[in-house]
Amino acid sequence: MTAYPHLMQPLPLGHVTLKNRVLMGSMHTGLEERGDWNRVAEFYATRARGGVALMVTGGMAPNREGGVFPGAAGLYTAQDIADHRIVTERVHAAGGLIAMQILHAGRYAYGKDCVSASAIKSPISPFVPRELDEEGIEKQIADIATAAKRAREAGYDGVEVMGSEGYFLNQFLVAHVNHRSDRWGGSDENRMRLPIEVVRRVRAAVGPDFILIYRISLIDLIPTGQTWEQIATLARAIEGAGATILNSGIGWHEARVPTIATSVPRAAFVDLTARLRTEVTIPVIASNRINTPEVAESILSAGNADMVSMARPFLADPDFVAKAASGRAREIAPCIACNQACLDHTFSGKLSSCLVNPRACHEVELEYPATDAPKTIAVVGAGPAGMTAAIVAAQRGHRVMLFEAGAQVGGQLNLARRVPGKEEFNGLVEWFSTMLSVSGVEVRLNTRADVETLRGFDVVVIATGVTPRDPGIPGQERALGYVDVLRGAPVGPRVAVIGAGGIGFDVSEFLVHAGDSPTEHPALWRAEWGVGDPATSAGGLADPAPSAPARQVWLLQRKPEKPGRHLGKTTGWIHRAALAAKGVRMIGGVSYDRIAADGLHVTRDGVPEVIAVDSVILAAGQVPDRALADELIAAGLTPHVIGGADVAAELDAKRAIDQAARLSAQL
Ligand code: NAP
Ligand code: SF4
């Protein structure tokens, strides 16, 4: 008897029955553009072997003008079809099903040839789109239908037509982007004509025995977005035009409301999917911030959806479904929704991967084969680097002992988990603990390893992490360290934080909140960000009503630039907006003169000033803790040094875990 009966139930879709209720949602990995089709095939086949019922590929452009960026992958030539066939055949051999997403970016296409309903630039693109004429619209429809037909030729089991997130089809639906007065604009009926016609023509191109997923925007989260009545009318028409199943789309990319970041409550938008389910007779898929089998099961058992879509969780763990099905859910590596190695990479032109699973998209080149020469390995420090090194080495068959001076494993992750909006780190620490135990690592807590302890091991890995940097500010003995603050040291009502890196932002977030974390209270979170109901306000926007800050915070840095510029590419704006909503003053170009009883003395633009605060907190970065590594080297040993103990600058868990995994893959 499975713990997740609804999740594991097959879903009949007419000509085909899905083996369970889990869809791997579309993700752009960057693999297709690199042209290594063996690698693309292995990425998807690995996930098919892991038991997911149906996967959707990253978005494929139907034509050059619709590609998200110049050179975006699409199915244009016989060679393209042959390349994609490598993927579909490998997936089918692994027992999976796969649909190709057709993504026309419209005005979000990053190039001067982009097209849309009207020549209105999006706030997140420098390019003004060309307004399509009647002939141009017909070409786009034909290209999308042709892409679907080619997907079938390439062996795909279906297509997903991307109709949400502010892309091309979504653009026609909304009055402020669609100013047309012909049969493609003006009335609701006219604005809906394009997506409906696209679905009708795609269905005609692929025939009845082919899955057609339509991703519909359930809440645009932009001013003058669609109303629920319009969305429901469109959903019924899309069903009538031949869609097999509807997937949920949440928010345009230009929306100023986070929709998938870690601070978004789990399953925050599922009520809208539940409402959609009452409007149509075809199955509907819930999406966004679903990352555990428990959450997925609760959505299905409550009747809120027929299927759940998870995308990033399949980067974190390709075996999500198999583990859930076999009573090993605790072993599922959790996606913490950080975006650090997936979306942040995508938007920097890098290959996607995953912070918790460096093998994601590197399946072919990073492997953890069983060793034929087991060694005794000591790992010192149970932060993300040390725990990963220990787990991977033990999984490969080495005998591993992990030494930790503290009373618990987790290292800096134990600080992150205290920050409101970072609750997902709890699950990550739990997962590491589980995997240490499952893989047979011997963990020695409250144990400070020394040269003598380590001398007898075949291999020593030092992952002793970092210590806070001493900024050398006169009077700093009056200040608190960020570690103490996050562990609960008392802080006054007016606070200056020295250092506006990731930790300065985290500490500030910690300080402005009192009581419940909005991430754990969806109603509170909606109020903070101004998420309303599309049934009562177009686009589903309401006036943000953030709760009063618990403290007045100044967040400072010396660099004369906007604080937070170097935070995550896709999440930095969320951190800045969240603190701005709490009245945090984020100031760059400050030099610190001294800390005194009356506050923090600084100089700004050559002018001395006193920031009158009760507490000053140091978050001025870190330096490597290499003491033990240096002792070992002096004693003639040759330890491997990883994580913050190796290089502290710009260290994050992503780099620590990746470095540790790659080391242990070779021991
Ligand atoms: P950091 O990102 O290196 O920031 C250190 C801050 O301290 C900077 O604002 C720096 O700005 C300031 N600083 C450096 N030297 C100083 C000195 N001598 N005196 C005064 N100020 C000084 O380090 P962090 O905030 O400790 O974060 C560590 C790592 O954890 C980072 O790589 C970060 O990416 C990661 N992290 C990420 C997140 C996330 O949300 N993704 C959250 C937490 C941590 P100035 O030099 O301009 O003053
Ligand atoms: Fe999830 Fe972060 Fe991994 Fe992306 S990098 S899949 S958000 S854990």
Side-chain angles (χ1 to χ4, degrees):
M1 175 63 187
T2 167
Y4 311 107
H6 295 85
L7 198 60
M8 298 306 159
Q9 200 178 40
L11 176 66
L13 289 181
H15 71 284
V16 67
T17 296
L18 304 183
K19 61 185 171 194
N20 54 55
R21 302 294 177 113
V22 186
L23 178 91
M24 180 175 111
S26 174
M27 285 176 284
H28 182 84
T29 61
L31 285 169
E32 286 85 352
E33 282 79 16
R34 279 163 177 78
D36 184 345
W37 291 91
N38 176 46
R39 210 165 155 179
V40 183
E42 206 39 47
F43 172 78
Y44 287 108
T46 301
R47 278 134 189 99
R49 283 193 289 274
V52 61
L54 175 63
M55 297 178 285
V56 181
T57 66
M60 295 294 141
N63 53 30
R64 305 284 178 202
E65 59 270 32
V68 176
F69 51 87
L75 254 69
Y76 302 127
T77 63
Q79 183 59 51
D80 291 337
I81 294 172
D83 290 340
H84 281 254
R85 194 174 282 284
I86 299 170
V87 178
T88 57
E89 283 177 357
R90 191 97 49 100
V91 166
H92 293 153
L97 296 174
I98 184 163
M100 187 187 89
Q101 188 188 71
I102 305 174
L103 170 60
H104 191 310
R107 70 178 189 154
Y108 283 167
Y110 202 83
K112 59 180 176 35
D113 296 331
C114 63
V115 297
S116 189
S118 302
I120 300 165
K121 192 179 91 58
S122 102
I124 57 170
S125 167
F127 301 102
V128 180
R130 176 170 59 84
E131 177 173 320
L132 288 163
D133 58 15
E134 180 81 25
E135 205 180 314
I137 291 175
E138 169 52 33
K139 175 183 183 300
Q140 308 308 312
I141 299 170
D143 287 347
I144 293 171
T146 302
K149 190 159 165 282
R150 288 180 182 156
R152 185 170 184 143
E153 282 166 38
Y156 283 104
D157 303 286
V159 286
E160 177 173 81
V161 174
M162 183 45 158
S164 62
E165 260 66 8
Y167 288 117
F168 183 57
L169 301 181
N170 213 173
Q171 289 160 22
F172 270 71
L173 291 166
V174 169
H176 93 268
V177 182
N178 183 346
H179 288 186
R180 306 178 73 95
S181 54
D182 59 3
R183 67 193 188 103
W184 304 100
S187 65
D188 283 1
E189 192 188 347
N190 284 353
R191 285 201 308 273
M192 288 180 201
R193 193 180 304 282
L194 178 68
I196 297 167
E197 187 60 11
V198 161
V199 171
R200 198 183 65 72
R201 295 271 288 276
V202 166
R203 176 54 79 199
V206 296
D209 54 343
F210 198 64
I211 300 168
L212 198 170
I213 309 165
Y214 184 83
R215 187 132 177 230
I216 184 166
S217 182
L218 298 184
I219 183 165
D220 291 329
L221 295 174
I222 54 158
T224 75
Q226 298 171 92
T227 63
W228 184 258
E229 203 185 325
Q230 291 167 331
I231 293 163
T233 305
L234 176 67
R236 289 188 293 269
I238 294 289
E239 174 175 6
T244 315
I245 187 164
L246 293 177
N247 194 1
S248 301
I250 306 294
W252 287 35
H253 285 320
E254 67 203 57
R256 292 291 88 188
V257 176
T259 55
I260 61 166
T262 192
S263 56
V264 177
R266 287 177 172 177
F269 300 96
V270 81
D271 290 359
L272 296 167
T273 309
R275 207 185 288 170
L276 174 70
R277 197 167 185 238
T278 66
E279 304 283 357
V280 292
T281 63
I282 52 177
V284 299
I285 307 170
S287 167
N288 287 52
R289 288 291 284 120
I290 302 167
N291 66 342
T292 68
E294 285 73 24
V295 173
E297 176 69 16
S298 71
I299 291 168
L300 296 170
S301 64
N304 289 334
D306 302 282
M307 194 169 188
V308 290
S309 170
M310 290 176 267
R312 297 170 297 171
F314 283 96
L315 291 177
D317 199 330
D319 295 322
F320 184 111
V321 176
K323 287 178 181 173
S326 60
R328 295 188 299 138
R330 288 174 64 238
E331 294 176 39
I332 296 173
C335 166
I336 56 170
C338 64
N339 287 359
Q340 278 174 255
C342 52
L343 281 164
D344 285 353
H345 278 206
T346 299
F347 284 92
S348 314
K350 291 194 229 160
L351 194 62
S352 278
S353 189
C354 174
L355 176 141
V356 301
N357 174 25
R359 289 202 67 221
C361 299
H362 297 269
E363 285 80 11
V364 173
E365 132 263 344
L366 177 58
E367 294 186 288
Y368 305 150
T371 179
D372 49 13
K375 299 185 180 85
T376 57
I377 298 180
V379 181
V380 185
M387 291 189 291
T388 304
I391 291 165
V392 173
Q395 284 173 337
R396 293 190 52 222
H398 295 298
R399 281 184 36 221
V400 185
M401 201 175 278
L402 174 62
F403 296 92
E404 166 56 44
Q408 59 182 147
V409 298
Q412 301 261 324
L413 300 179
N414 289 318
L415 297 178
R417 67 199 285 187
R418 292 168 189 265
V419 177
K422 291 204 159 179
E423 289 78 7
E424 291 292 353
F425 280 81
N426 287 313
L428 183 57
V429 176
E430 265 170 45
W431 175 77
F432 269 119
S433 293
T434 301
M435 295 315 292
L436 286 168
S437 150
V438 168
S439 57
V441 173
E442 205 176 310
V443 181
R444 295 279 168 90
L445 296 176
N446 301 307
T447 307
R448 206 167 266 286
D450 57 21
V451 176
E452 284 322 304
T453 329
L454 299 172
R455 207 182 274 285
F457 287 86
D458 297 330
V459 176
V460 175
V461 179
I462 297 298
T464 41
V466 292
T467 48
R469 175 185 284 128
D470 174 1
I473 301 169
Q476 69 182 26
E477 62 283 356
R478 292 175 179 273
L480 293 162
Y482 70 86
V483 175
D484 298 326
V485 171
L486 290 171
R487 286 186 180 150
V491 176
R494 299 167 307 161
V495 193
V497 179
I498 290 183
I503 291 180
F505 269 80
D506 275 359
V507 169
S508 301
E509 190 74 49
F510 177 82
L511 292 170
V512 294
H513 283 280
D516 294 335
S517 165
T519 301
E520 305 215 277
H521 295 271
L524 196 57
W525 180 84
R526 279 194 279 271
E528 295 258 332
W529 286 96
V531 177
D533 185 339
T536 49
S537 67
L541 285 184
D543 288 332
S547 55
R551 294 180 181 81
Q552 171 68 63
V553 176
W554 284 258
L555 176 57
L556 309 166
Q557 72 179 22
R558 297 169 307 173
K559 282 186 285 297
E561 62 181 31
K562 209 162 92 181
R565 257 191 70 191
H566 306 285
L567 296 174
K569 191 120 183 138
T570 61
T571 53
W573 70 271
I574 301 170
H575 296 300
R576 290 190 295 269
L579 293 191
K582 297 287 186 190
V584 174
R585 294 186 214 167
M586 293 169 261
I587 304 171
V590 170
S591 65
Y592 310 109
D593 301 328
R594 64 193 165 95
I595 300 167
D598 58 346
L600 176 62
H601 291 237
V602 299
T603 300
R604 246 203 309 169
D605 297 326
V607 181
E609 92 182 66
V610 183
I611 302 177
V613 289
D614 312 293
S615 308
V616 176
I617 297 168
L618 303 178
Q622 289 96 19
V623 291
D625 183 348
R626 284 190 59 98
L628 180 58
D630 292 341
E631 276 179 48
L632 291 169
I633 292 165
L637 278 72
T638 50
H640 299 273
V641 184
I642 59 171
D646 177 27
V647 180
E650 293 181 9
L651 174 75
D652 59 17
K654 179 184 78 171
R655 201 183 84 208
I657 291 171
D658 186 77
Q659 187 185 23
R662 285 174 192 276
L663 170 70
S664 286
Q666 294 185 3
L667 289 176

